[in-house]
């Protein structure tokens, strides 16, 4: 193994651990998600076990990143391609410098729910800007109209929902790790 290979090996191991910690996961939690034993994961992070390609692919998926991002070494690559979720009409970009932070673009075509019981609360903070149209933000028992080029920022522990006001709108949001996790849980429910 060359010195360069050893540097990449150490970098990948450090990234796996850093991404796990940034998600707030224990060794047990990531090991479960990656279908590895906690001791195997610990040995991978600490350099006591060989890195296998199939494990790297599994770990990248479990960490919500790509294999390319896990092993990249070229700091000149500043372009990030979106991850598409056609089912929810979203494009998502991870912020490389802040593991767990995500930028999301979403086209919305429905108004927010009428039923206050449909509002969701979870840990985290959100920031959004309306790119086109008008959005309606329900925040607790308050209702806000957010016009094109206006932004909103709020703690997500307040029950909230967002939708359109009379026609399609497009928003760009920035979610911290906790807010993204909360929204991912909402989609699965």
């Amino acid at each position: 193994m060359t010195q360069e290979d050893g540097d990449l090996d150490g970098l990948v191991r450090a990234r796996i651990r850093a991404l796990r910690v940034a998600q707030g996961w224990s060794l047990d939690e990531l090991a479960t998600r990656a279908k590895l034993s906690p001791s195997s994961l610990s040995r991978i992070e600490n350099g006591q076990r060989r890195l296998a390609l199939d494990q790297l692919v599994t770990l990248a998926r479990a960490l919500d990143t790509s294999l390319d991002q896990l092993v990249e070494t070229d700091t000149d690559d500043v372009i990030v391609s979106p991850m598409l979720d056609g089912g929810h009409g979203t494009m998502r970009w991870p912020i490389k410098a802040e593991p767990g932070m995500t930028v999301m673009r979403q086209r919305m075509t429905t108004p927010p729910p009428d039923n206050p019981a449909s509002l969701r609360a979870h840990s985290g903070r959100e920031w959004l800007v309306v790119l086109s149209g008008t959005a309606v933000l329900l925040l607790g028992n308050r209702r806000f109209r957010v016009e094109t080029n206006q932004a909103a920022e709020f703690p997500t522990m307040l029950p909230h929902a967002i939708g359109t006001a009379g026609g399609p709108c497009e928003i760009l949001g920035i979610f911290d790790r906790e807010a993204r996790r909360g929204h991912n849980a909402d989609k699965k429910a």
Side-chain angles (χ1 to χ4, degrees):
M1 178 184 289
T2 67
Q3 177 64 33
E4 188 174 296
D5 291 339
D7 291 346
L8 176 60
D9 184 80
L11 178 67
V12 170
R13 292 173 193 280
R15 281 187 182 150
I16 290 168
R17 183 178 193 291
L19 288 169
R20 175 180 62 78
V21 170
Q23 293 286 2
W25 296 337
S26 67
L27 276 168
D28 290 338
E29 288 171 304
L30 178 56
T32 299
R33 291 172 188 271
K35 297 179 177 56
L36 293 169
S37 72
S39 63
S40 291
L41 178 58
S42 177
R43 289 192 308 269
I44 287 171
E45 285 186 1
N46 294 317
Q48 298 168 347
R49 182 174 178 162
R50 181 180 63 84
L51 287 171
L53 182 59
D54 60 331
Q55 290 172 330
L56 286 177
V57 170
T58 302
L59 283 165
R61 284 188 188 130
L63 289 163
D64 195 24
T65 191
S66 69
L67 181 60
D68 289 345
Q69 288 175 334
L70 198 58
V71 300
E72 75 180 341
T73 59
D74 186 7
T75 57
D76 293 334
D77 185 13
V78 297
I79 306 300
V80 178
S81 296
M83 293 179 246
L84 303 174
D85 181 350
H88 293 98
T90 63
M91 296 171 98
R92 184 167 58 91
W93 299 265
I95 299 176
K96 291 181 185 182
E98 293 290 333
M101 294 287 287
T102 302
V103 175
M104 186 179 305
R105 181 177 181 174
Q106 184 171 13
R107 178 174 163 74
M108 304 181 109
T109 57
T110 59
D114 290 330
N115 182 356
S118 298
L119 302 182
R120 299 281 185 226
H122 49 83
S123 299
R125 281 196 80 72
E126 291 182 25
W127 178 93
L128 63 91
V129 64
V130 176
L131 301 174
S132 66
T134 302
V136 173
L137 171 63
L138 302 180
L139 198 54
N141 29 347
R142 298 182 68 193
R143 183 181 190 92
F144 299 92
R145 284 180 61 91
V146 188
E147 305 286 342
T148 299
N149 296 325
Q150 289 183 322
E153 181 178 2
F154 56 94
T156 56
M157 286 302 288
L158 290 170
H160 62 281
I162 190 164
T164 65
C169 73
E170 194 165 35
I171 64 168
L172 186 70
I174 299 176
F175 302 85
D176 69 9
R177 177 183 69 242
E178 296 299 322
R180 192 183 94 214
R181 191 180 299 161
H183 280 275
N184 287 342
D186 290 346
K187 288 178 188 177
K188 293 174 186 169

